[in-house]
Every structure is written in structure tokens, then in C-alpha cells.
Amino acid sequence: MFISKFNKLIRNRLLWGIFAFIVVISFVAWGTQTSGTRESEEAAGKLFGKPVPADKFRKEFFNTYLSMALMFGQPLKITEEMNDLLRKLTWRRMAVMKTAQEMDLAVAPDEVTGTIEQQPFFVENGQFNRKRYEAFVASFLSKLGASEAQFEDQVREELIINKARMLVSQAVWVAPLEVAQAFALVYDTFDVSYVVLRSDEIRQKIKVGEDEARKYFEEHKEEFKVPEQVRVKYAAFPFDRYLDEKSITAEAMRAYYDENIEAYSTKTTNGWSDPLPFEDVKGKIKERLARENAVNTAADRALDFEVMLAPDRSGKAPTFEAAALTAGVSVATSKYFSLQEQVDWLDVGSDFNQAAFSLRMTDDDYFSHPVRGAGAYYVLGLEKRVEARIPEYEEVKDRVYAAAERQAEEEGVNDLALALRAAASKAVRDGKTLEQALAPTGVEVLSTGPFSAKTGFPDDNEDVVYALTKSIMAYNAGEMTELIPLKDGVAFAWIKSRTGADRSALASIRNDLGMYIRRKRAETVFHEWQEYLLKQAGFEDKVEKAKAAAVSGEDGEEQPEESP
């Protein structure tokens, strides 16, 4: 499965280029987050009581990223959350590989070769096409700085992990009763009456006073905590500044056209590619190459600027402003912003925030590597850092009122729903329907008519459909559900009837249903086994440890500063 999506990915060379860029950027981001200094760390963490060298971790991080991207059939956008997930998956991968080695699990070279040769993209007319494989190595792996041997090593690791997964899954068993219960959940027919109460239905009745607001603030101060903030100065290197279409030669355009012919082709009725004439597309190619050259030049200038800021052997370095003057760029200063806050005055992503928060107030670490935005590269310089703090009530008064009102609405809806449910439960026990029980209250009671999980809960609201379908499966005819939370309210339902499914249909799907349950359970067991291995290995990630220290204020690198 991990390389079954090659065909979808590799057809588009531009996508491969983007893929390669994202992976490279992810390694830069990882390197930035793993250390507060520019000196490489000796270890990324610990596993089984031994330090894990940073270069070994980077190798396994690459293998993890490649496996995930090929499994999903598309490049993965590296956000802070994705980076954290990939790191955790990398540590799991390393723990499994170490355990697999101790279990003498191995993969022969012909298994690796056979797996690669069976991938759909590398097969033509039922036979392995070496030219396609060589194109993959040259067009994709080379852009990552990865070799064919490294890729084959990644495939070998995946095969070993799959063998470990298969061994663990042997312990999974599904009882016949479980299959029958799952069948009933999907195919039993329900007829349900239900009530949905929305928060906005009582909003006008909710009034929060000053005393209530202050009480809410005192009980929920952490909810209004102002996160750590930084203010940076930055030098911009706009792409447009380096645009020069005149520098693009005809030879360069022709070479690009030949290398990317598929991007400039149309499909004929019989499915063949029909290339557009070079003369028809050379204008677009010139624009594209000029843009790429401008982006690369901006990156080079930004990198030169970063190097300029580094102290020389005697410890001397120009100021940020002096270096900018020499480089011929202007310097701007940001407002204060947090790690999760959108930098809305520039067209940049979260990597700008991550770069800013990785900076430290030292001569070597107060400035960043170049950060790419939508229209420029930026080099950041830390100007001031403000520690997280609990604000005064008056600073966040409006937010407090809004939060207190939301809580009052939720409590009001819940109280109303509990009262209605209690009255309805008693009336239903006395032989009334839910509609009859709640008629005096004027509350709308909805009815589904017969349905099953397979046919779907008959309501247009996805939140209601998901929440009620999940809840009512646990109830029998004549029972009233507990309160069911919704995104903006609450619901409860009365099961008018539940009719068992035709058991004769179970025989035809018993095996498939049992295999599905077993497969899902095997995935859960394998995941829990990986977590167990990490725990037994005394797993320690330096990045997570540094984050925890920063949150608890144990890093001790800087003193709290005055609030902006």
C-alpha cells in the first residue's frame, strides 16, 4: 500500500518538483526546531537507553515522510502539527525496527526487488519497465538528494515493518457474536422520535451581569491566558525584484519544454498525448523560467544576508540594519504575535511564526534562516520576547462576557433538555408516545420513519445525523436515550421500534464483515504495541522535552519582559 499510489503521483513532474521542495523544507523546519543554536546536536533523543544520532533520525524521518506521502498519493503539507506527527511516527518506526532486529525479522534483496517491480507505475504490458524506474530515480529521488540505494532501503524497512505488523495481528481474534452484533448495528431497522434543542433558541433569555462575568473569569483564568509573544524585524527579498525575462535563452526554454512535454500536451480521443507546438507555449515557459530564476535569486540574496549577519572569528558582526543597508533592502518591524497567530500583514504561512519563535537573543541565534512567503523571502531578527501571562479582567472583559454567555446558554439548554426528557420518560412509561408527551410544551418532535444505519438517518443536518446515529445504536425499542451533545445544542430520542435484520443475509457477508473487524482491530493492536515499545524503550524526544521545558518556564534562557 505504501507505494501503490506511484502512478497517480509520478505522472505530473511539476507535482514531483513541489513534493521535493516540501520534503526539503520539512527537513529545514525540523532542523530549526530541534535546536536553539546553529550547532548541530549530537543526538535527537534517546531510545532503549541510548542516544539516537541526529543524522540517523533524519534518515528515518525521511523514510517516514516518504511512506506517508506515497500512501496518501500526494505531498504532505508540513505544518507544526504535521511535523509533530511525523516525529512521533518516526520514533515508533525506529522502535519497531529495533525490535524486529531482535526478533530476527529480515528481508531478502529479491523481496525488495520484487516489491518494487510489482508497483503499477513500473509495469508496462505486464512486465517491469526499467526505464520508468530509472525515470523515477532521476526525476524524483535526485531532487531530494536521495539515491536509489536509499529508496530501496526505505522499501526494505517497510517490508520488515509489515512483517512485524502481520506477526502482531496473529493475536487478533473476532468472536462470531461480535460479527452478529456488528451486522445488527448496520442492518437493524429503527423508528425514532427525537427532539433537537439549539442554544440560540434560549439566547434572548440569557442575561449575564458583571458579577457573573467576574466569577467566570476567576474560575477560568487559563482560558484567557495571553500566550508567549515575539516582535521581530525582518528584511524582505521580493521575487519581483529579480524578474528578468531577457535572461531566459531559447535553449533553456526548449530544454524545459522537452523535459516537461507532458505538461504541454493534450489528450487525443484515443488517449494518446499530443504535444502543443513549442511556439504556442514558449511565452508561458519564458514566464515560468523567469519566475523560477527570480525565486532562486531571492533565496540566494536572502542567504547571503543571513551569512552577513553571522559573527566573524573575532565575534564582530554588523547590526541587522547595517547589513540591510549593505544588501540594499529595507527593514520593517512587526507587531507582537504568538506562535499560533496568523501574521496577516504579510503573505506568509506558519513557518514564519515557527522561525520567529526559534530565535534566541544571542549573537548567533537572533536571526533566522530565509523564510519563504508567497511573494518574497524573509530573514527575521528577534527584537523582543514577552512571556505568557494571565491578563487583567478589564483587558479581556468583552471575551469574558461572550464566554460566560456561551456557558449560560449551554447550561440553559441542558437544564431545559433534562426537564423535558424527565417528563417525557414518565409519560412514555405510562403508554404515551414522545409526541403526545411533549405536546403541551410546544416543543417540536421529529420522527424518522423506518431506517437503518445502512440507509442513513433521515435528517439534513450532518451533526444531528452523526450524533444520533452513533447514540441510538445502543438502545432497544421503548428506551429513551441520554442527552446527546451537538455542536450548538443538545438532543434526545425515543426508540419507537427496533426490528432485527434478516439473519439469512448475514451468511453472505459474515466473512467480509469479520475480516473488516479483524483488520481494524489489528491496526489498533499494532498501534498499541508501538506505544508499548516506546514506553519500554524509555523514549525521549529532545524537541518535545524542550517544548515542555519552555511551557513550564524551566529553560531559564530569558527573563520575563514587560507586556506590550
Side-chain angles (χ1 to χ4, degrees):
M1 179 174 68
F2 61 98
I3 51 178
S4 62
K5 301 280 182 81
F6 273 162
N7 200 20
K8 177 180 177 183
L9 270 171
I10 201 170
R11 284 180 180 172
N12 189 327
R13 295 189 180 187
L14 175 60
L15 185 59
W16 278 123
I18 296 172
F19 192 1
F21 173 77
I22 289 177
V23 174
V24 171
I25 290 299
S26 75
F27 293 147
V28 172
W30 174 80
T32 303
Q33 294 179 33
T34 54
S35 173
T37 69
R38 299 186 180 277
E39 298 180 3
S40 60
E41 298 290 334
E42 293 183 359
K46 288 184 179 181
L47 203 62
F48 296 102
K50 296 181 179 179
V52 175
D55 56 349
K56 178 177 176 58
F57 186 85
R58 280 192 293 271
K59 168 183 172 293
E60 294 300 338
F61 186 93
F62 169 80
N63 285 348
T64 303
Y65 180 96
L66 188 57
S67 297
M68 291 281 288
L70 292 173
M71 181 175 70
F72 287 112
Q74 62 182 12
L76 306 177
K77 183 178 180 181
I78 300 298
T79 61
E80 182 181 10
E81 292 77 14
M82 178 58 71
N83 187 73
D84 290 344
L85 173 62
L86 288 172
R87 288 186 67 86
K88 187 61 179 292
L89 292 176
T90 300
W91 286 113
R92 288 182 190 167
R93 182 188 191 91
M94 296 176 72
V96 171
M97 288 299 299
K98 172 67 174 176
T99 305
Q101 183 181 17
E102 295 174 352
M103 297 167 65
D104 293 326
L105 295 181
V107 172
D110 58 346
E111 290 182 77
V112 176
T113 302
T115 298
I116 294 174
E117 291 181 352
Q118 290 171 14
Q119 298 312 305
F121 177 76
F122 302 141
V123 175
E124 185 175 22
N125 298 324
Q127 298 293 323
F128 173 67
N129 187 319
R130 176 154 291 279
K131 288 185 177 179
R132 287 192 174 187
Y133 180 62
E134 291 173 350
F136 165 74
V137 173
S139 300
F140 173 59
L141 293 181
S142 61
K143 291 181 181 179
L144 293 182
S147 66
E148 181 179 356
Q150 287 174 307
F151 172 66
E152 291 178 355
D153 181 61
Q154 187 264 348
V155 175
R156 180 187 64 81
E157 286 192 2
E158 287 294 334
L159 292 173
I160 291 175
I161 291 171
N162 282 339
K163 287 187 176 183
R165 181 184 286 106
M166 290 178 64
L167 281 176
V168 173
S169 68
Q170 299 302 312
V172 174
W173 179 71
V174 179
L177 178 60
E178 294 179 85
V179 177
Q181 290 173 334
F183 175 79
L185 290 176
V186 177
Y187 290 96
D188 279 6
T189 300
F190 294 82
D191 192 356
V192 174
S193 294
Y194 63 103
V195 173
V196 175
L197 298 173
R198 302 291 183 184
S199 299
D200 57 10
E201 294 176 7
I202 65 168
R203 187 160 295 152
Q204 300 302 321
K205 302 176 183 178
I206 300 298
K207 300 296 180 184
V208 173
E210 181 73 9
D211 291 342
E212 290 87 353
R214 285 187 176 276
K215 180 181 179 183
Y216 183 90
F217 176 72
E218 291 299 324
E219 294 175 352
H220 301 85
K221 283 187 176 181
E222 285 294 322
E223 184 179 327
F224 303 98
K225 186 175 184 179
V226 178
E228 180 185 24
Q229 296 179 311
V230 296
R231 185 174 68 199
V232 297
K233 46 195 172 185
Y234 55 90
F237 298 82
F239 304 153
D240 291 345
R241 181 177 181 179
Y242 306 102
L243 275 175
D244 183 12
E245 290 191 7
K246 294 180 180 179
S247 66
I248 306 302
T249 64
E251 291 78 9
M253 288 188 288
R254 172 63 73 172
Y256 185 87
Y257 173 78
D258 292 338
E259 291 175 4
N260 298 272
I261 193 67
E262 291 180 11
Y264 300 100
S265 300
T266 59
K267 290 290 185 182
T268 62
T269 54
N270 61 6
W272 293 96
S273 293
D274 184 18
L276 297 170
F278 173 71
E279 293 299 323
D280 292 353
V281 297
K282 69 177 184 179
K284 291 183 178 180
I285 292 176
K286 175 180 280 191
E287 291 177 4
R288 182 178 189 84
L289 291 178
R291 184 70 178 176
E292 289 181 357
N293 286 350
V295 171
N296 292 335
T297 302
D300 291 340
R301 297 294 178 270
L303 187 60
D304 292 341
F305 180 73
E306 178 197 358
V307 172
M308 197 185 305
L309 295 170
D312 59 21
R313 292 184 178 180
S314 63
K316 296 181 179 180
T319 65
F320 199 90
E321 290 75 12
L325 186 62
T326 302
V329 295
S330 60
V331 175
T333 302
S334 75
K335 63 181 181 181
Y336 282 95
F337 61 95
S338 66
L339 180 61
Q340 303 299 331
E341 184 178 350
Q342 182 178 356
V343 180
D344 52 12
W345 61 93
L346 293 174
D347 197 353
V348 294
S350 60
D351 47 347
F352 187 94
N353 301 58
Q354 292 169 5
F357 276 81
S358 71
L359 302 178
R360 296 290 179 268
M361 207 52 103
T362 67
D363 291 342
D364 288 317
D365 301 303
Y366 84 91
F367 56 92
S368 73
H369 298 303
V371 177
R372 181 170 176 169
Y377 271 99
Y378 300 91
V379 176
L380 287 57
L382 180 62
E383 190 164 275
K384 194 172 183 180
R385 183 185 298 270
V386 178
E387 300 299 323
R389 64 185 179 85
I390 300 295
E392 296 296 325
Y393 169 75
E394 293 297 334
E395 291 182 63
V396 290
K397 186 175 181 178
D398 290 343
R399 289 174 54 202
V400 173
Y401 263 88
E405 287 171 355
R406 284 195 301 271
Q407 183 186 65
E409 289 170 8
E410 292 172 3
E411 291 176 349
V413 168
N414 277 326
D415 290 345
L416 175 59
L418 285 170
L420 291 172
R421 182 187 178 280
S425 296
K426 182 179 184 304
V428 165
R429 287 195 298 270
D430 293 338
K432 293 183 178 181
T433 64
L434 184 61
E435 291 84 351
Q436 293 169 337
L438 296 182
T441 68
V443 173
E444 182 182 15
V445 177
L446 303 171
S447 185
T448 63
F451 78 98
S452 67
K454 188 174 186 300
T455 61
F457 192 95
D459 194 293
D460 294 333
N461 187 292
E462 291 184 4
D463 183 30
V464 171
V465 170
Y466 176 78
L468 268 71
T469 300
K470 182 180 178 182
S471 297
I472 65 174
M473 296 297 165
Y475 292 88
N476 295 313
E479 294 182 330
M480 190 82 69
T481 69
E482 297 296 328
L483 296 189
I484 303 169
L486 302 175
K487 291 179 180 178
D488 59 346
V490 69
F492 64 90
W494 175 56
I495 316 302
K496 289 195 284 189
S497 67
R498 177 172 182 168
T499 306
D502 181 3
R503 305 285 292 188
S504 63
L506 175 59
S508 63
I509 65 170
R510 183 187 298 276
N511 289 338
D512 290 341
L513 191 55
M515 288 176 62
Y516 173 79
I517 298 172
R518 188 173 186 274
R519 184 168 61 250
K520 299 299 289 185
R521 185 168 297 169
E523 291 174 4
T524 301
V525 170
F526 185 68
H527 169 77
E528 291 177 350
W529 181 62
Q530 289 177 302
E531 290 298 311
Y532 168 78
L533 291 180
L534 287 178
K535 185 176 181 180
Q536 292 296 107
F539 148 70
E540 179 182 297
D541 185 341
K542 279 194 173 182
V543 169
E544 291 302 316
K545 187 175 181 180
K547 285 183 179 179
V551 170
S552 61
E554 296 174 357
D555 53 1
E557 291 186 0
E558 297 172 9
Q559 296 299 318
E561 299 181 11
E562 184 181 352
S563 171

